[in-house]
Amino acid sequence: MTKPTVSYGRRPKLKLTELAVRNVAPTFGKVRHLTYSTKCRGELVVESDAERFVSHMVTLDPRAKRFWTQPFTVDLIDRRILRSPVEVAEARKKHSKRIGPKFYTPDFGVEWIGLTRSAKEVKLEGFEGDEEYQTRLRLGASIIEAHGYRFSMVVFPRNQRHPFYSSLVLLKQAASRPELWPDEQLAQRITEVCSQQSVTLKDLCTRLNVSPSLVPAMLVSGCVSANLATQHLCGTMQLSAAFGDLSHLHLLEGLSV
């Protein structure tokens, strides 16, 4: 008997997600990381877990209007910003016989609300690059800043026990589901419990008779605040009333150098 032919469909083409000045670099057998953000035209491709987590940070930051992966390439010789694949190809041809650093491409470009646009280089702690790379980075940064951007390196923690490894995913999920955020009545009760002094996550949930799974939604909606860089989302986390303030989601500053 002839077996029926089964089609499992085709994997979506990565080119549909490659909207920056150049495609994400080849990974030579390593996994490319797909993630999603409404601030980056939907689906995006990054080169590492560190970049994926930083994309979550930018998504959560209320000051970030939109961002791009590998937004432009810096011509280190002519000190230009190259904004299209055609410009990059022409520059590579022009400088093909030159020796030394020629180009640099930042990992992210971010447009902020009320702040200067910025370019970000993302590195995992302990892998910031050798002296030759740092020289390329300093030259690229000087050109980027001369063109009106702020530049910084974001060094993501290497220790996988760091709170960001677990909390960022939960916070990003909560941010994408505003229909599950505390309603006005619950938000008022949360404020009453937390307004005088900080309380533990466990104590707050017990007094409100709500599930701890609601806490990420409390944080991203501005009902409560916490030091997300040092505390895990667990029963001992200290929570304070945020009164709508979302500054606890300004997470990049603590990692920028």
Side-chain angles (χ1 to χ4, degrees):
M1 179 181 295
T2 304
K3 292 183 179 181
T5 301
V6 179
S7 174
Y8 294 96
R10 299 180 62 187
R11 181 170 179 254
K13 292 182 178 180
L14 286 175
K15 286 185 177 180
L16 295 178
T17 66
E18 305 287 8
L19 300 175
V21 67
R22 68 172 175 85
N23 290 347
V24 171
T27 54
F28 303 104
K30 295 183 293 184
V31 177
R32 280 180 172 177
H33 299 257
L34 288 173
T35 187
Y36 180 88
S37 175
T38 55
K39 294 183 180 181
C40 191
R41 307 190 189 105
E43 193 175 66
L44 63 144
V45 183
V46 294
E47 295 178 340
S48 66
D49 263 334
E51 289 184 18
R52 179 168 63 89
F53 284 124
V54 169
S55 76
H56 293 348
M57 290 180 169
V58 179
T59 300
L60 289 166
D61 196 316
R63 303 166 301 171
K65 184 176 182 180
R66 61 176 65 92
F67 69 99
W68 299 265
T69 57
Q70 300 184 340
F72 51 76
T73 292
V74 182
D75 182 335
L76 301 176
I77 297 172
D78 289 343
R79 303 185 67 85
R80 298 172 55 218
I81 297 292
L82 310 175
R83 301 184 183 277
S84 73
V86 172
E87 289 182 332
V88 174
E90 290 175 347
R92 289 192 183 280
K93 182 178 180 180
K94 178 182 179 181
H95 302 319
S96 61
K97 297 182 180 180
R98 295 291 294 265
I99 304 298
K102 302 174 186 177
F103 302 100
Y104 164 68
T105 301
D107 293 314
F108 293 104
V110 188
E111 182 180 345
W112 303 89
I113 299 172
L115 298 171
T116 304
R117 56 189 177 175
S118 65
K120 305 289 185 182
E121 173 72 10
V122 179
K123 291 296 181 187
L124 185 65
E125 182 183 13
F127 296 90
E128 291 88 346
D130 57 19
E131 184 56 37
E132 180 181 347
Y133 179 79
Q134 292 299 323
T135 299
R136 180 198 297 263
L137 201 63
R138 286 192 291 269
L139 178 55
S142 67
I143 297 169
I144 288 170
E145 292 180 347
H147 283 78
Y149 290 81
R150 291 181 297 127
F151 178 84
S152 63
M153 178 188 286
V154 179
V155 181
F156 196 80
R158 183 179 180 183
N159 184 356
Q160 295 195 11
R161 294 183 179 180
H162 192 282
F164 284 154
Y165 279 88
S166 56
S167 63
L168 284 174
V169 174
L170 296 174
L171 292 168
K172 181 174 176 292
Q173 290 173 346
S176 68
R177 300 292 304 276
E179 71 276 9
L180 301 180
W181 294 359
D183 58 24
E184 184 176 350
Q185 182 178 5
L186 179 56
Q188 180 60 38
R189 291 172 58 205
I190 293 169
T191 301
E192 290 172 357
V193 173
C194 300
S195 60
Q196 299 301 317
Q197 61 181 8
S198 63
V199 298
T200 66
L201 183 154
K202 180 180 179 181
D203 187 36
L204 177 64
C205 292
T206 299
R207 293 171 67 176
L208 296 176
N209 193 28
V210 298
S211 169
S213 63
L214 186 62
V215 174
M218 296 182 190
L219 287 161
V220 299
S221 62
C223 290
V224 296
S225 65
N227 189 332
L228 298 169
T230 61
Q231 299 186 87
H232 289 273
L233 276 165
C234 64
T236 58
M237 172 179 263
Q238 293 289 322
L239 301 171
S240 303
F243 303 104
D245 180 32
L246 295 175
S247 58
H248 55 281
L249 298 179
H250 300 175
L251 300 173
L252 284 174
E253 278 85 347
L255 302 181
S256 298
V257 296

